[in-house]
Amino acid sequence: MARVDQESFYRENIQTYGVSAQGVAWDSARTQRRRFAVLAAQLGDLSDSTLVDAGCGFGDFYLYLKERGNLPRRYIGIDLVPQMVEAARERTGCRILQRDILRQSLPMADWYAASGSMNLLSRTETAIFIRRCYEHTRKGFVFNLLQGRDREGIFGYWQPREVQELLRPLEARVEIVDGYLEGDMTVVVK
């Protein structure tokens, strides 16, 4: 079970902060963009690739890629929260699906990416989320997690060695990138 009810959590954030980085529970647009920069660097040139943004929020990662001139051949966003799905559709003009990544069907793509999408999930749910996304890729899955010792509270934290152990059953190449923001890491699974 999730650490908190995700739909209620994000609905309250949207009411408080609107369509913004804080609306999807990031500290600021600056830290959100820093995370996007690291994700994009790991994905490389996307012009010949399909990309699913798992937990796309308001479509900010798509807009970041567009601003950088690195749009994928096809982009699909997925989010659980209806207000985010609606906003992402309006802001991106792309196909945005309202789905529960843990339980509903997922499209195949070259890449899956997720920024902050697992921060409210339990350890078990995080494992399921990663496995399901990775199984629907041809090239790999790139995502970020909060780094630190896990503790009581809303957000889940991971140590790099815990992530390595979690991903061992996938029998994939795993690279962990950190040092770009305190308390954050990006994981590349190919």
Side-chain angles (χ1 to χ4, degrees):
M1 186 167 181
R3 296 167 90 86
V4 297
D5 178 80
Q6 294 179 78
E7 284 193 65
S8 296
F9 175 85
Y10 286 113
R11 197 171 28 252
E12 288 176 24
N13 267 24
I14 294 166
Q15 285 177 334
T16 303
Y17 301 106
V19 177
S20 67
Q22 292 86 355
V24 287
W26 289 119
D27 296 343
S28 67
R30 183 190 65 76
T31 59
Q32 181 189 47
R33 292 175 66 77
R34 184 67 192 125
R35 288 174 177 96
F36 288 168
V38 176
L39 286 176
Q42 303 312 307
L43 291 165
D45 178 13
L46 291 169
S47 60
D48 288 330
S49 296
T50 55
L51 172 69
V52 171
D53 187 352
C56 68
F58 302 125
D60 292 323
F61 186 51
Y62 173 87
L63 297 174
Y64 176 87
L65 293 171
K66 183 177 181 180
E67 180 183 291
R68 295 285 186 265
N70 190 25
L71 284 177
R73 181 171 33 90
R74 193 175 95 199
Y75 169 95
I76 300 171
I78 299 175
D79 207 280
L80 178 67
V81 182
Q83 298 95 318
M84 291 184 176
V85 169
E86 184 179 315
R89 285 176 181 156
E90 287 176 18
R91 296 175 84 215
T92 67
C94 294
R95 183 174 175 211
I96 310 293
L97 307 173
Q98 183 180 346
R99 299 257 167 95
D100 181 341
I101 291 170
L102 299 175
R103 293 169 186 82
Q104 293 179 297
S105 66
L106 300 175
M108 283 298 296
D110 294 316
W111 290 101
Y112 266 60
S115 185
S117 307
M118 295 174 267
N119 292 346
L120 299 177
L121 300 180
S122 69
R123 292 248 195 265
T124 300
E125 289 170 325
T126 299
I128 293 167
F129 188 111
I130 293 168
R131 180 184 48 78
R132 293 202 74 228
C133 289
Y134 180 68
E135 288 173 349
H136 287 84
T137 68
R138 289 181 279 277
K139 295 181 180 179
F141 182 28
V142 180
F143 57 91
N144 55 40
L145 293 170
L146 296 173
Q147 184 175 350
R149 288 181 31 151
D150 200 35
R151 54 190 172 267
E152 293 288 322
I154 294 174
F155 301 109
Y157 293 83
W158 292 83
Q159 294 288 337
R161 64 178 158 54
E162 294 173 314
V163 173
Q164 292 281 0
E165 191 59 34
L166 177 73
L167 300 177
R168 191 176 316 284
L170 297 180
E171 297 180 357
R173 277 185 312 157
V174 176
E175 179 184 351
I176 297 176
V177 180
D178 61 5
Y180 56 92
L181 278 176
E182 186 176 338
D184 204 83
M185 67 177 139
T186 295
V187 182
V188 182
V189 186
K190 294 182 182 178

